[in-house]
Amino acid sequence: MYCLVSMTTKIATFIDCAGEEGFCFVHRLFGEMEALNLSCAICLDRFRVPVTIPCGHTFCQDCITEHWDTKSKSDIGPHCPICNEEFPIRPALKRNVSLSVLSEATANSAGASGRDTMPVMKGDLAKTMSLPLCDRHKKPLVYYCKNDNMCVCCECGISECKKHETVLVEAEVKSRECLLRRKNVEVERCMEETEKSIAELTENIAKAQVTLQQTSHWVNAKFSMLLKVLAEKQECTENFIEQEKDASLVEANTRLEELQERAQQLRERQVQIAAIRNLPDTQLIQESRLVEVPHMKDIPVDVTPNLQERLSGVTDVLSRISKLVSEDLVKAVSTAVGQDKQSSPQDKRPVLAVVPSPAAPFHPAGKEGLSEYRCTLTFDPRTANAHLLLSQENRRAEHLTSGPRSVTAHNARFDHTWQVLCFQGFRHGQHYWEVQVSKPWAYLGVTYEGIPRKEKGKRCMVGMNELSWSLQLDERQLSAWHNGRREIVAGNSNHSRIGMLLDYEAGTLTYYGDGQARLHAFHCAFTQELFPACWIGEGVCVTLCSP
């Protein structure tokens, strides 16, 4: 490279002296020599005993030998001066016969025409002469010293960076551009993950708002049944709920703002990288060292309000007070007075605990009082287990004793559980329906849509998981089930017709037996759409009664 700089200086002096004619001569000579490509990249002169190394590049035998000898003194192994490919051992040098013949023929031709040979530079002369100059030696900065992290000229490389690891500026630029591309890919990946987190957090915030609102409605419905003496506590609890709602959403929105700010930072880093890539080589090398991919902590995107859990003590007290007022007091008054004919079914609906409560006493509800809540239901064939046969316009389900029938596979179907859901679901309001059972071997209830459908075992049965509630009909007794927990229901177990009253806002599911006798009730702060469900034993027929 030192030869390259010296030759550049000499050529520039020659052009200054010879003027335009000298410049044309140099330009033509360089074009001819470049076209023949007969110059050594180390000495920049015509090949003298050309040899080719394993990477494919060719040099003078003496030049490449001297280059490797110099590098070995600095504990640098043999490598190609052009492409920097390293070799485990010094390669054996073999003469390039074809290039030798061509070089000699070109030299003879030049001598015959009376022209003197002239050193040929590798690459574009203008580019070489336009390189920034060293402040001390006023020579082009053609090397990059990796130890000092700076560009140096030939003299600096010989005098000060002799034992340092140096490469051509052009090679270092390529290396830095590759590094910037990798950093840009990493920034883009972080940007994609951040945008995904923003979308997920936004969706979870919306779901949390619905859950919090439904919880608030449930608490308000409970308080509305109590006496005026509880008004002060109701206001206190409502204020607490609002604070919790605000606190939960404020925290979630704060995380959302952090993610959006992170996205902005990543966008700015992309702009910075793009600007650096357009800088001159030396500035690109310097500025690229300052580019760092931001190290950011993970920001959770889940929004899980624990309002119901924190209010569990309040709801437990409210449930016991409600039972005392709405059930025990009604029973005591009915026993003492001996009449309960004027009361409406709405007045007698129990308000019970989140877990199944003790069965309510038998009270005739009256068909007239429930008729306004009656609804029409049909079974959903997509959910019916293969052992169940639907008929009567999907209002009757029979468990076949002959074995399973051939059915089409469907994501909604219960594969191993003798169960079927109704088409109709409820998100609000009051709804009443009746079911006729041929013999007492069934589970009747409601479930969220997310109930397991493909597993084996009892977890898919209505009432055996946290997503569903059911009443088990058995010849010996009735049992209430929720989340796999069982509670015995007192009273007569022989009922062929079961009525079910769902009050979504109040969170109650009440069962009525033959003669409209109230059997049992569940209570929960419902948060999702509820679907009527039936588990049907072998040989049993279940029919949805017409309104």
Side-chain angles (χ1 to χ4, degrees):
M1 185 56 66
Y2 177 74
C3 295
L4 172 63
V5 178
S6 300
M7 189 61 63
T8 300
T9 306
K10 293 177 181 179
I11 291 174
T13 304
F14 172 77
I15 292 175
D16 290 340
C17 296
E20 183 178 355
E21 182 179 351
F23 177 80
C24 294
F25 171 76
V26 171
H27 185 272
R28 184 171 60 255
L29 181 59
F30 269 82
E32 293 175 359
M33 296 302 292
E34 192 67 40
L36 290 174
N37 195 22
L38 301 178
S39 57
C40 173
I42 297 178
C43 67
L44 302 178
D45 204 347
R46 194 181 303 279
F47 283 122
R48 298 185 297 276
V49 189
V51 292
T52 302
I53 61 178
C55 66
H57 292 109
T58 303
F59 308 92
C60 296
Q61 183 176 6
D62 293 340
C63 292
I64 189 64
T65 301
E66 182 180 354
H67 175 78
W68 284 344
D69 290 342
T70 301
K71 292 295 182 180
S72 65
K73 294 178 181 179
S74 301
D75 294 329
I76 299 176
H79 64 280
C80 177
I82 296 177
C83 65
N84 281 331
E85 180 178 346
E86 298 181 357
F87 310 113
I89 59 175
R90 181 176 293 196
L93 300 178
K94 295 183 179 180
R95 183 174 184 179
N96 189 323
V97 179
S98 298
L99 196 57
S100 296
V101 173
L102 182 59
S103 178
E104 292 172 3
T106 304
N108 294 336
S109 174
S113 60
R115 292 183 297 175
D116 294 332
T117 59
M118 184 175 180
V120 180
M121 290 181 61
K122 183 72 175 179
D124 184 58
L125 176 62
K127 181 177 179 180
T128 304
M129 297 180 67
S130 65
L131 289 173
L133 300 180
C134 176
D135 293 336
R136 295 175 55 190
H137 305 110
K138 305 303 179 183
K139 295 182 179 180
L141 301 175
V142 293
Y143 281 116
Y144 176 75
C145 178
K146 293 188 176 182
N147 296 74
D148 295 335
N149 291 321
M150 61 183 297
C151 295
V152 298
C153 67
C154 297
E155 286 200 26
C156 292
I158 295 173
S159 61
E160 300 178 9
C161 303
K162 183 176 181 180
K163 294 185 178 182
H164 293 178
E165 182 181 0
T166 58
V167 295
L168 294 175
V169 167
E170 190 174 318
E172 183 64 19
V173 168
K174 292 181 180 179
S175 175
R176 293 303 177 94
E177 286 182 342
C178 181
L179 177 62
L180 285 174
R181 284 195 295 269
R182 290 198 301 269
K183 289 184 177 181
N184 189 58
V185 169
E186 187 173 355
V187 169
E188 289 178 352
R189 180 185 59 79
C190 293
M191 182 67 184
E192 182 179 350
E193 292 178 355
T194 301
E195 290 178 347
K196 181 179 179 182
S197 297
I198 290 174
E200 187 175 352
L201 180 55
T202 302
E203 181 181 354
N204 289 341
I205 288 175
K207 292 180 180 179
Q209 288 175 327
V210 174
T211 301
L212 290 167
Q213 190 65 28
Q214 289 175 341
T215 302
S216 179
H217 287 166
W218 177 80
V219 172
N220 289 335
K222 297 295 292 182
F223 272 113
S224 66
M225 292 185 240
L226 299 178
L227 300 175
K228 292 182 179 180
V229 71
L230 299 175
E232 180 181 355
K233 297 302 179 182
Q234 178 180 2
E235 181 180 0
C236 178
T237 304
E238 285 181 341
N239 290 337
F240 168 75
I241 292 173
E242 291 301 322
Q243 292 175 1
E244 288 299 309
K245 286 167 57 179
D246 293 341
S248 298
L249 297 179
V250 165
E251 180 184 356
N253 282 307
T254 300
R255 283 183 271 155
L256 180 60
E257 291 176 357
E258 290 180 6
L259 285 172
Q260 292 172 339
E261 182 178 327
R262 174 182 296 183
Q264 180 61 30
Q265 293 177 358
L266 292 172
R267 281 191 287 268
E268 292 175 356
R269 196 57 50 88
Q270 286 179 313
V271 172
Q272 180 186 4
I273 291 176
I276 292 176
R277 296 179 69 178
N278 293 327
L279 294 175
D281 294 347
T282 54
Q283 293 185 30
L284 183 147
I285 293 174
Q286 295 297 326
E287 295 295 331
S288 65
R289 294 186 299 109
L290 305 178
V291 177
E292 296 293 339
V293 178
H295 297 287
M296 301 178 178
K297 64 179 181 180
D298 293 335
I299 298 177
V301 298
D302 58 317
V303 181
T304 309
N306 61 348
L307 187 59
Q308 292 182 0
E309 181 180 347
R310 297 189 63 180
L311 287 176
S312 60
V314 177
T315 57
D316 182 60
V317 173
L318 288 174
S319 297
R320 283 187 277 122
I321 294 175
S322 298
K323 182 179 183 300
L324 178 64
V325 174
S326 301
E327 297 185 23
D328 295 350
L329 183 59
V330 170
K331 178 181 178 182
V333 171
S334 299
T335 302
V337 177
Q339 59 180 4
D340 192 23
K341 297 180 181 180
Q342 302 301 322
S343 299
S344 68
Q346 192 74 359
D347 297 331
K348 289 176 291 196
R349 280 181 301 145
V351 183
L352 302 168
V354 173
V355 296
S357 69
F362 296 149
H363 290 299
K367 295 183 178 180
E368 301 81 5
L370 296 174
S371 59
E372 63 181 288
Y373 308 127
R374 287 182 179 271
C375 60
T376 301
L377 300 178
T378 55
F379 290 121
D380 185 352
R382 301 172 302 175
T383 66
N385 179 264
H387 288 269
L388 305 181
L389 175 65
L390 303 186
S391 59
Q392 298 182 8
E393 298 181 346
N394 294 332
R395 299 182 61 83
R396 182 176 185 271
E398 178 184 1
H399 189 139
L400 301 175
T401 57
S402 57
R405 58 193 176 87
S406 177
V407 295
T408 305
H410 198 283
N411 290 336
R413 193 178 305 281
F414 290 93
D415 289 348
H416 306 286
T417 306
W418 302 337
Q419 199 155 261
V420 62
L421 304 185
C422 288
F423 257 125
Q424 295 73 18
F426 307 111
R427 285 187 178 274
H428 57 81
Q430 299 165 338
H431 310 276
Y432 177 77
W433 65 94
E434 292 183 346
V435 177
Q436 188 75 33
V437 184
S438 62
K439 61 180 180 180
W441 190 16
Y443 291 75
L444 309 176
V446 295
T447 180
Y448 294 147
E449 187 176 12
I451 186 173
R453 305 179 190 229
K454 306 300 180 183
E455 301 176 11
K456 292 183 179 180
K458 290 186 176 182
R459 177 168 166 74
C460 295
M461 293 176 59
V462 60
M464 299 300 174
N465 50 69
E466 70 279 7
L467 305 176
S468 59
W469 299 257
S470 72
L471 182 70
Q472 177 189 2
L473 305 183
D474 187 84
E475 292 180 349
R476 296 169 294 178
Q477 61 187 16
L478 298 177
S479 301
W481 291 89
H482 172 61
N483 200 17
R485 291 180 295 175
R486 177 187 182 189
E487 183 173 4
I488 304 299
V489 176
N492 182 18
S493 62
N494 188 16
H495 297 277
S496 60
R497 192 180 185 96
I498 300 295
M500 302 172 65
L501 176 63
L502 172 66
D503 189 333
Y504 194 97
E505 281 73 18
T508 59
L509 175 64
T510 308
Y511 289 87
Y512 297 90
D514 298 327
Q516 301 299 308
R518 189 169 53 184
L519 301 175
H520 189 78
F522 291 103
H523 183 82
C524 182
F526 299 128
T527 59
Q528 303 177 37
E529 188 174 12
L530 289 169
F531 293 86
C534 298
W535 182 95
I536 304 172
E538 190 173 0
V540 178
C541 293
V542 173
T543 304
L544 298 170
C545 301
S546 301

